[in-house]
Amino acid sequence: MTLAPILLRSPAVVVALPTPIVERSREHLFPKDVVLVTSRDLADDPDLFPEESRAMARATPARRHEFALGRCCARQAVSLLGGPRVAIPVGRFRDPVWPFGYVGSITHCQGFCAAAAARTAPVDDSRAIRGLGLDSEPVASLPEELTGVVCTAEECAWLASRQGDGVPWDRLFFCAKESAYKCLFPTTHRFLEFRDVGVRFDPENGSFDARLPSLYGSPSHLIGRYAIRDVILLAATTWLEGHECP
Ligand SMILES: CC(C)(COP(=O)(O)OP(=O)(O)OC[C@H]1O[C@@H](n2cnc3c(N)ncnc32)[C@H](O)[C@@H]1OP(=O)(O)O)[C@@H](O)C(=O)NCCC(=O)NCCS
């Protein structure tokens, strides 16, 4: 299948595209050395490598389709970084296994799909990237009973102070925490509860800080950014080397 990539020169990641094309942006949600490829639904299933195909042997057509779209975006992100066009197998805990020297993250939601990737080796004088996390969610509030599962008491108080501003902050907490989990898991292999992660949003800057439990080898916090584009919320986290707990 041929995909038509376009390079977005604006700092915004536009996700609501009328036609099924793949776009990429080096800016906005992630630091500059990260490539983000997003796609709206494609009619056909993009090609898979045999081991990827085997992982989807018993999947429904819809699941196979979203998986293939994710792999397509992920491979394109790695290629744009000058990396190899290889399989991205499914890890033991469903985590994508990126080619050696690369980290990344995949998300899909309601026909939208995106993948981010970066080289682990630092470029120029920037800091090495040890992990990336990307999550997408529909622009809708969480079911009420979930808010207390996802948010700490401090976050619930903050939510109350933002009521009526039109932003589904409860869903954004969920999205930010899922992105933090995806960022950490491939390296730490540790399960986290939602309330293990403390998120503080900075609505002025479209950013957030994700505080993490103090665990050897894990970062003490991740830097995050979020975006609301049409009907999709996006949260992105980056683990920069040097943020690890002693
Ligand atoms: C992994 C998880 C975060 C996925 O999120 P989701 O909103 O259901 O779905 P998304 O489409 O955004 O993401 C799915 C992709 O995440 C990636 N993923 C799955 N498990 C992963 C893991 N353990 N680590 C990193 N990435 C993972 C995969 O690429 C997957 O797509 P694929 O199966 O097509 O390759 C979620 O299913 C999960 O397992 N949560 C349990 C842990 C948790 O949420 N803890 C609280 C947060 S702190």
Side-chain angles (χ1 to χ4, degrees):
M1 158 173 304
T2 310
L3 298 167
I6 56 164
L7 178 60
L8 289 184
R9 300 211 181 270
S10 100
V13 179
V14 181
V15 297
L17 294 168
T19 49
I21 58 173
V22 174
E23 55 186 290
R24 61 190 166 119
S25 166
R26 289 179 179 269
E27 298 172 283
H28 192 58
L29 282 170
F30 288 104
K32 67 175 173 50
D33 298 324
V34 178
V35 168
L36 174 68
V37 174
T38 72
S39 172
R40 273 281 165 192
D41 224 341
L42 298 170
D44 305 324
D45 277 3
D47 293 336
L48 290 175
F49 279 75
E51 60 264 61
E52 296 169 343
S53 226
R54 277 195 295 277
M56 289 294 111
R58 278 185 271 169
T60 61
R63 169 65 185 129
R64 189 185 159 88
H65 184 69
E66 70 164 24
F67 175 86
L69 208 50
R71 278 344 192 234
C72 170
C73 290
R75 256 189 284 287
Q76 186 147 2
V78 172
S79 296
L80 289 166
L81 290 161
R85 193 170 173 77
V86 292
I88 301 175
V90 179
R92 201 169 144 214
F93 300 94
R94 222 188 119 194
D95 46 317
V97 181
W98 296 85
F100 181 76
Y102 294 84
V103 287
S105 188
I106 299 171
T107 186
H108 11 65
C109 174
Q110 300 184 338
F112 166 80
C113 181
R119 287 196 205 91
T120 49
V123 180
D124 308 328
D125 56 353
S126 50
R127 273 202 271 178
I129 294 174
R130 297 204 51 198
L132 297 174
L134 183 62
D135 195 60
S136 56
E137 294 291 328
V139 177
S141 286
L142 279 182
E144 213 176 310
E145 65 276 13
L146 266 189
T147 306
V149 176
V150 171
C151 299
T152 63
E154 188 188 324
E155 290 164 352
C156 285
W158 190 84
L159 275 178
S161 76
R162 305 293 303 197
Q163 234 172 18
D165 73 0
V167 178
W169 290 108
D170 50 356
R171 182 76 69 165
L172 264 171
F173 274 114
F174 180 87
C175 195
K177 291 181 187 203
E178 294 257 271
S179 75
Y181 179 76
K182 289 188 197 177
C183 182
L184 295 169
F185 187 87
T187 305
T188 63
H189 288 118
R190 288 197 179 107
F191 182 81
L192 287 173
E193 300 287 351
F194 283 99
R195 284 181 298 180
D196 290 340
V197 181
V199 167
R200 278 197 186 168
F201 286 107
D202 178 351
E204 295 296 310
N205 291 310
S207 63
F208 62 89
D209 181 64
R211 294 262 145 211
L212 303 163
S214 183
L215 295 168
Y216 175 76
S218 285
S220 55
H221 72 111
L222 302 171
I223 55 166
R225 295 196 64 81
Y226 67 91
I228 305 172
R229 297 280 175 261
D230 191 34
V231 292
I232 305 279
L233 301 177
L234 285 164
T237 45
T238 305
W239 173 358
L240 289 177
E241 189 155 74
H243 285 173
E244 294 79 16
C245 300

